[in-house]
Amino acid sequence: MPAVAKELGMSHGNLTHHFGSIGALHAALVDQMAQELATTVYAAVRRLRDERADPITVVNAVFEAFDNGGAGRLISWLALSDNMDALKPLFKTITAAVRELTDDDHCRSNPQSVSATRHNALLLLATALGNALVGDRLHAAVGVPQGSLSKLSALNLVPRAAAKRR
C-alpha cells in the first residue's frame, strides 16, 4: 500500500483510512473496472447484435477496454493470486450486462439470439483478456501481424442474422 499511496500522491495513512486494507483497495479497483468493462462490453455486443457496427470495431473497443489502465493484468493477477472474492464485482457486473442484453423483445422472440449474444460476450471477454496479457508477444511468437487476434475474433463472432438462420 505504501507504493500505491506514493504513486497516487497520497499518504499511506490516508489510503489506509479510505480503504482499510490492500484487499479492500483491490475490491474497489475491480468494482470500478468492472463497471467500465461492462459498459464497454454491453455497448459493443448490443451494436454487433443490432448490426450497427462492423465486428472489428466492436472487438477493438473491448480489447482496448481490457488493455487500458491494466484491467486485464489486474484481473489475471487477482485470479492467479486466488483472490476470487475481489473479482466478484466483475463477474456480477458481466452477468447483469449479459442478462440485460438477452432480456429484450428481440431475444424473447428469438432464442438463437440469446445463445449468440452469450457466445459473443464470452468470445470477446476471453480473447480480450488473453490479448491484454500476452497479445503482443504471442503475435510475434506465432509470426503474425499485431491485431491478428482481434481480426480472428471478429470473424468468429456470431452475427444476429446467422443466429436467426440456426
Side-chain angles (χ1 to χ4, degrees):
M1 288 215 9
V4 173
K6 182 178 179 181
E7 182 70 26
L8 294 174
M10 299 174 72
S11 70
H12 178 251
N14 194 3
L15 191 63
T16 302
H17 171 74
H18 286 290
F19 296 101
S21 69
I22 193 71
L25 175 61
H26 290 157
L29 286 170
V30 170
D31 190 45
Q32 177 63 37
M33 176 193 63
Q35 297 302 319
E36 293 170 8
L37 285 174
T39 298
T40 299
V41 171
Y42 176 85
V45 173
R46 180 168 288 289
R47 281 194 314 267
L48 179 68
R49 192 184 69 200
D50 294 342
E51 298 177 11
R52 289 183 290 181
D54 182 40
I56 193 66
T57 303
V58 172
V59 170
N60 287 339
V62 176
F63 274 39
E64 287 173 19
F66 273 83
D67 226 3
N68 293 343
R73 292 186 186 278
L74 177 61
I75 292 167
S76 297
W77 179 74
L78 290 169
L80 289 170
S81 301
D82 201 29
N83 191 354
M84 298 307 283
D85 284 344
L87 292 173
K88 284 181 181 177
L90 174 67
F91 295 123
K92 181 179 179 182
T93 302
I94 289 171
T95 299
V98 171
R99 185 178 304 122
E100 188 174 335
L101 283 166
T102 57
D103 189 29
D104 65 8
D105 291 336
H106 172 75
C107 284
R108 280 192 288 274
S109 65
N110 185 358
Q112 294 86 3
S113 185
V114 172
S115 178
T117 299
R118 289 179 176 160
H119 284 97
N120 285 340
L122 179 62
L123 176 66
L124 285 170
L125 293 166
T127 55
L129 180 58
N131 191 67
L133 291 176
V134 294
D136 291 345
R137 291 189 175 154
L138 193 56
H139 282 83
V142 174
V144 296
Q146 294 296 322
S148 293
L149 182 58
S150 60
K151 290 176 186 173
L152 182 61
S153 297
L155 288 173
N156 284 291
L157 290 176
V158 181
R160 189 174 100 190
K164 287 181 181 177
R165 289 192 297 265
R166 290 186 177 179

